[in-house]
Amino acid sequence: MDTFRAMVIDQVDGKPKAGFRNLTMAELPDNDVLVKVEYSTLNYKDGLAISGRGRIARRFPMVAGADLAGTVVESRAPEWKAGDKVVVNGWGMSETEWGGYSGYQRVKAGWLTRLPDAFTLEQAMAIGTAGYTAALCVLALEDWGTIRKGEGEVLVTGAAGGVGSVAVALLASRGYPVTASTGRPDTHDYLKGLGATQFVDRATLAEKGGPLQKERWTGAVDSVGSTTLANVLAQTVYGGAVAACGLAGGFDLPGTVMPHILRGVTLIGVDSVMAPAAKRDRAWALLAESLDRDKLAAMTTVEPMDRLPELADAIMAGQTRGRVVIKIG
Ligand code: NDP
């Protein structure tokens, strides 16, 4: 326990560079709660950070990893005690705060979510930021109120990815008919297993389309952005809503106001990083209630920390399926 391994991003010649390093307790930030990290995950943002393709770390050195799950070792905060099982998603970890790819981490008490009884630490990381963001998107659509159980179609873009897979599983188990947009036809059986009933080739959504197209989606979860999101908005039914959380296809939004001003379509922005605790609790409660554990297992692979560099390249190339849990050690 004198030293432990971490994946650290440094700045070399003005560019972020990731590598493994041994850290000591004395090097960890002076936050209230020391956690022995057992699992982390690989999200798209982690891929950007490790591969150097995105400027995620905003100070250096930075311990990467947007998520962690583990056990409290010691706490100066009265609400947490040694032995508590905890999860942290976001709160700037891997950006401005040291993150989860580390044998131990010291975090602020307010960032911790108590591990729901319904999940093991490994399952909590199988969900991770991507899955908890999918839950925030589903909540946003349900709160908006235009998606209907057993009626219409709810679209999920980037369906075979992490956010997409959890969104498909959650929406299907809550009774909404799910259409999955994917660029990988070989994932259709996998997505059917998660509950998708119809498919759209992602190439058709990536082509620029008209400002108002045939109304189809009562709601949508979009992790792709760009032309895809513009088309999804143009195909959303009168009064419907789209929960947008991602930019896997690009961060631009080349659309028009027409769906909004002529069909009353709403674009709901979803952020997981700084979401307040009450919203997080609702999302985890929804996951505990509606995420089928067999489906969660079917969408998850567990990988050792050593493979992070190659896994980061794979998620950047859109080649990972579902969720990747990282065993810390
Ligand atoms: P994944 O890589 O697991 O999933 C992204 C999926 O998008 C891919 O599997 C692929 O799905 C599709 N995709 C990839 N590249 C393209 C492309 N060029 N054009 C169209 N579709 C593409 O990533 P995550 O699920 O972890 O994250 C998805 C997005 O959500 C990311 O942009 C991420 O930054 C964002 N995100 C945002 C959060 C927030 O707080 N707002 C939190 C978590 C994630 P398929 O093969 O099925 O077509």
Side-chain angles (χ1 to χ4, degrees), residues 194-247:
L194 299 183
T197 49
Q198 303 219 52
F199 294 93
V200 170
D201 182 343
R202 88 177 189 203
T204 62
L205 290 171
E207 283 165 26
K208 194 162 170 42
L212 289 172
Q213 301 171 35
K214 188 168 181 302
E215 291 175 54
R216 184 160 178 194
W217 322 116
T218 54
V221 173
D222 177 59
S223 60
V224 172
S226 193
T227 316
T228 298
L229 176 55
N231 283 324
V232 172
L233 289 164
Q235 296 169 6
T236 297
V237 302
Y238 191 95
V242 177
C245 68
L247 42 60

Side-chain angles (χ1 to χ4, degrees), residues 44 133 158-163 182-184 202 223-224 245-248 270 272 315:
Y44 189 86
T133 302
V163 172
T182 179
R184 292 181 276 177
R202 88 177 189 203
S223 60
V224 172
C245 68
L247 42 60
V270 174
S272 66
I315 200 167

